[in-house]
Amino acid sequence: MTTQPPVLSIDGLHVRFRLRDAVVHAVTDLALTLHRGELLAVVGESGCGKSVLAHAVLDLLPANATVTGTVCFGPHNSPVRDLRGRHVGLIPQSPATALTPVRTGRTLLAETLKVHGRPATDADRVAAEAGLDPDDLARYPFELSGGMAQRLATALALAPDPAVLIADEPTAGLDRLLVDHTLDLLRRRCDNGSAVLLITHDLAAAERVADTVAVMYASRIVEHRPAAELFAAPAHPYTAGLLDALPGRAFRPIPGHPPMLTALPAGCPFAPRCAHTDDACTVQPATADGAACHHPLTRAGAR
């Protein structure tokens, strides 16, 4: 998989939001690649910058955002806005605000299919693929439950059959059966040659379907490794803490709170919550062997 050129390359990405009296450091020096057939999950606590990453990749940030770094989609040299839809799809985190309220689900889906050269008669099949009853396409978005709106947004993202799908919390508001349905759908897309960037706080979902996992903390990627290796033996203490908080493991929360993105420390941002910290942690660690940590955990020394 990794011998082929990536379909998505992100290098040196920084995103800053300028407020009246502060600057939010939402994404810091981020680098990721995504290959055809790969499902890459970006995980972390709420507020770490995961959704900002998704919107930065698609050039969908508000006017007060400053973005530096590069985002490249495969061989395309076109602006990102020209690739959205057919080449790069988005399942938004808040579908209720992304759906046009004066059009029924069927109209929205038929229009999307038509724009991308597919027959409107595919609407029922695409809706069913996303787990939405085709009969519900007759409803307006405000008549849909949160879970139904999520499935409609998924169907709209799938309609152009994009090569890259960015799924921002695609299982939010869904019951367990539909969570599994959506995850299996994303996995099948990768198995059929597409690529998926999954933004999620659901570690169980990432473990179930991801090939690789990037752990985000306080605007940075702190660990990026194959999923099986990461879940078996996390290298970063933050990753270990996230896994220990799961009900099936120690069910022990990480003490303390993440730093404010308006006041990030100069050194390791996880140091105030970490049991392994020392004077070295006053300096931002470099990434080695997939983890940005001065004292990475090992199989022999973990926990």
Side-chain angles (χ1 to χ4, degrees), residues 7-11 13 52-61 67-90 116 162 164 166 197:
V7 293
L8 171 64
S9 299
I10 307 169
D11 188 42
L13 182 66
V52 174
L53 165 62
H55 286 81
V57 167
L58 289 168
D59 193 21
L60 292 173
L61 294 173
V67 182
T68 58
T70 60
V71 178
C72 299
F73 289 96
H76 300 288
N77 294 317
S78 302
V80 171
R81 66 181 65 90
D82 295 339
L83 299 176
R84 291 197 297 256
R86 178 171 295 279
H87 298 290
V88 186
L90 172 67
H116 294 285
V164 178
I166 299 176
L197 178 64

Side-chain angles (χ1 to χ4, degrees), residues 176 183 201-209 231 246:
R176 187 71 251 170
L183 293 174
H201 67 276
D202 186 345
L203 290 169
E207 184 174 20
R208 173 173 172 169
V209 297
F231 282 99
L246 293 175

Side-chain angles (χ1 to χ4, degrees), residues 1-8 33-39 194-196:
M1 180 171 59
T2 55
T3 59
Q4 300 178 354
V7 293
L8 171 64
T33 57
L34 180 65
H35 293 80
R36 185 175 297 278
E38 179 183 8
L39 197 155
S194 298
V196 173

